[in-house]
Amino acid sequence: MFNIVKGTHDVILNEATKYTYVENLLERVAETYGFKEFRTPIMEYSELFLRSTGESSDIVRKEMYTFQDKGDRSITLRPEITAGTIRSMVNEKLFANQDYPIKAYYVGPNFRYERPQQGRYRQFNQFGIECVGVTSPFRDIEAIMLGYNALKLLGFKNITLQINSLGDKQTREDYQKALREYYSKYVDEMCDDCKERFNINILRILDCKVEHDIEINKNSPKIEDYYSGEARRDFEIIKDFLTDNGIPFEINSNLVRGLDYYSGVVFEYRYTSSQGKDYGALGGGGHYNNLVKEIGGPDIEGVGFAFGIERLVKLMEDDSLFNNEEETIDLYIMPIGMQNQKICFELATFLRNNGYSVDICLENKAIGPMFKKAERRNALYAILIGDDEAKNKTLNLKNLTSQEQITVKFDDLLTILDDMFGECEDEHDHHHE
Ligand code: AMP
């Protein structure tokens, strides 16, 4: 027996079907907004994350899976996918013809050495988008709406969208100065993490979850008092537009996000299940001013966000947002006698090539046990072929719901099946033409 690596989890059987459903839906939504898929490597040079995710982020300081490869290069299993996506745009010269924006979406695993708990894994999957070459706050709005609408299409109701603006460089410099002044009076009584944050990334003190620190945070300087004219205007445009489009949001001036590259608007999608379960944010992201340049691209801005697939699936399970129909198979083929295996096998291949899901009994079994198997596989129809049928090129087709059985010529089978399955097309997702 081998244990699974701590903080990882198997996604198999029905669970895997749910992951695929969620991922496919998100991908389709991204496509409708004009985003294209990017598949970048899981391994990147460690330097990429030091530069982008940021040396003061928890991710880079404590959570990366970093190792020297046999060529003595420092490699990191990606803790997030934004950096690699932008790197690919730079390396592949997508910025060369300045046809902006470049719109990318991605799905895949990330690795962070975090303390495992509900909704928090060491290997987890994200779906995300990046829109690069952003010149107006409307791109930020488009990204926020994409995420919001995708969650609605997955079936979530009452999503809480929290937004904040981190302003521009000047805003943050002035604000950090004010925070330093304020917290210098309290830092000695704050938690160890906050003591560290005070020196490394003071903004992160604002989202500390320790009770005593939350109290101290209540009276801290507020970022909105430090916005420049432009930062304030952009944030106003975004808020107005969300209101006009019926997207409810809350302003959370303590929302700073864990990665260093954000500037301008940042946002998170939150959801509490009907049983009151909350596994942390479903997803989040924001606008970035300097990331593209930092990774070697031109001086252009971008916006992006990522959802955690594990959390989406867990909450959808908790709130029964998956359609719980049992998985069925279209046809179960039963050879009566080993001598009829070959013809049954050929028929299975023919039907599979025509889009039907088919299983076939490949052992020598009596009819009773074969029906048992068909039932356990949730087959909709059974096909029985014995010696007479094989000789006459016919077969017995049995509807396993109504128990009706008809005899059908080989040549007519496809037309008959297409008719029968065509009739219930809406109820079950059969893609055969
Ligand atoms: P981040 O990349 O940290 O902004 O996270 C974006 C989303 O990814 C979060 O809102 C979560 O849904 C998900 N996520 C982040 N870290 C983890 C983790 N360790 N385990 C599961 N999901 C995670």
Side-chain angles (χ1 to χ4, degrees), residues 62-87:
K62 308 187 250 198
E63 297 172 358
M64 293 210 301
Y65 281 89
T66 297
F67 60 96
Q68 299 296 119
D69 74 2
K70 293 191 201 306
D72 209 29
R73 303 168 194 95
S74 179
I75 306 283
T76 294
L77 303 184
R78 65 183 184 201
E80 53 114 29
I81 311 186
T82 300
T85 304
I86 308 275
R87 180 206 48 67

Side-chain angles (χ1 to χ4, degrees), residues 112 114 119-121 124 126 257 259 281-284 306 308 311:
R112 294 182 194 173
E114 296 191 84
R120 195 169 290 286
Y121 299 90
F124 62 96
Q126 280 185 340
R257 313 270 310 127
L259 300 83
L282 286 177
R311 292 187 193 174

Side-chain angles (χ1 to χ4, degrees), residues 47-305:
E47 186 63 22
L48 175 68
F49 302 111
L50 298 182
R51 271 300 195 79
S52 58
T53 316
E55 279 173 284
S56 67
S57 67
D58 284 355
I59 294 177
V60 168
R61 288 194 305 120
K62 308 187 250 198
E63 297 172 358
M64 293 210 301
Y65 281 89
T66 297
F67 60 96
Q68 299 296 119
D69 74 2
K70 293 191 201 306
D72 209 29
R73 303 168 194 95
S74 179
I75 306 283
T76 294
L77 303 184
R78 65 183 184 201
E80 53 114 29
I81 311 186
T82 300
T85 304
I86 308 275
R87 180 206 48 67
S88 78
M89 293 178 182
V90 174
N91 291 19
E92 299 294 330
K93 303 196 168 41
L94 302 192
F95 299 117
N97 62 7
Q98 300 189 12
D99 188 14
Y100 303 147
I102 297 160
K103 296 166 102 176
Y105 74 82
Y106 57 77
V107 187
N110 290 311
F111 304 83
R112 294 182 194 173
Y113 195 81
E114 296 191 84
R115 200 166 62 76
Q117 50 189 294
Q118 276 272 43
R120 195 169 290 286
Y121 299 90
R122 291 184 172 170
Q123 176 174 342
F124 62 96
N125 294 281
Q126 280 185 340
F127 159 87
I129 59 149
E130 307 298 336
C131 177
V132 182
V134 171
T135 51
S136 87
F138 291 101
R139 291 293 176 200
D140 297 334
I141 294 164
E142 186 184 49
I144 295 171
M145 286 180 68
L146 191 167
Y148 188 82
N149 287 329
L151 290 174
K152 288 227 306 220
L153 287 170
L154 285 171
F156 287 100
K157 296 189 182 71
N158 309 319
I159 303 147
T160 308
L161 170 64
Q162 293 197 335
I163 64 172
N164 188 23
S165 171
L166 302 178
D168 52 24
K169 199 154 167 263
Q170 193 61 48
T171 308
R172 282 193 306 287
E173 273 171 21
D174 294 347
Y175 184 48
Q176 278 166 351
K177 214 169 118 207
L179 289 178
R180 199 149 282 126
E181 214 162 279
Y182 174 81
Y183 285 108
S184 61
K185 289 181 277 209
Y186 301 102
V187 61
D188 290 340
E189 51 184 292
M190 299 183 81
C191 74
D192 288 347
D193 281 340
C194 280
K195 288 194 178 85
E196 237 181 288
R197 291 173 186 141
F198 181 81
N199 293 314
I200 298 167
N201 185 352
I202 196 157
L203 281 174
R204 289 303 305 280
I205 290 185
L206 294 170
D207 66 5
C208 182
K209 307 287 187 290
V210 176
E211 201 116 337
H212 182 63
D213 297 0
I214 292 176
E215 279 307 308
I216 295 173
N217 287 344
K218 279 190 179 148
N219 294 317
S220 65
K222 296 290 170 255
I223 193 163
E224 56 262 32
D225 297 329
Y226 297 85
Y227 292 148
S228 68
E230 202 178 329
R232 188 181 302 278
R233 193 205 59 204
D234 282 359
F235 197 34
E236 288 304 321
I237 293 176
I238 291 169
K239 287 186 290 187
D240 286 349
F241 207 87
L242 291 174
T243 308
D244 290 347
N245 281 279
I247 298 188
F249 61 87
E250 291 171 0
I251 295 171
N252 174 357
S253 49
N254 289 345
L255 180 68
V256 293
R257 313 270 310 127
L259 300 83
D260 285 359
Y261 46 67
Y262 292 116
S263 49
V265 69
V266 290
F267 50 96
E268 271 183 12
Y269 303 94
R270 302 185 154 266
Y271 181 78
T272 309
S273 79
S274 44
Q275 258 94 55
K277 281 258 170 68
D278 173 357
Y279 305 107
L282 286 177
H287 185 100
Y288 40 83
N289 280 344
N290 299 314
L291 180 64
V292 184
K293 194 164 166 222
E294 200 63 45
I295 295 179
D299 190 4
I300 53 176
E301 302 173 24
V303 60
F305 74 81

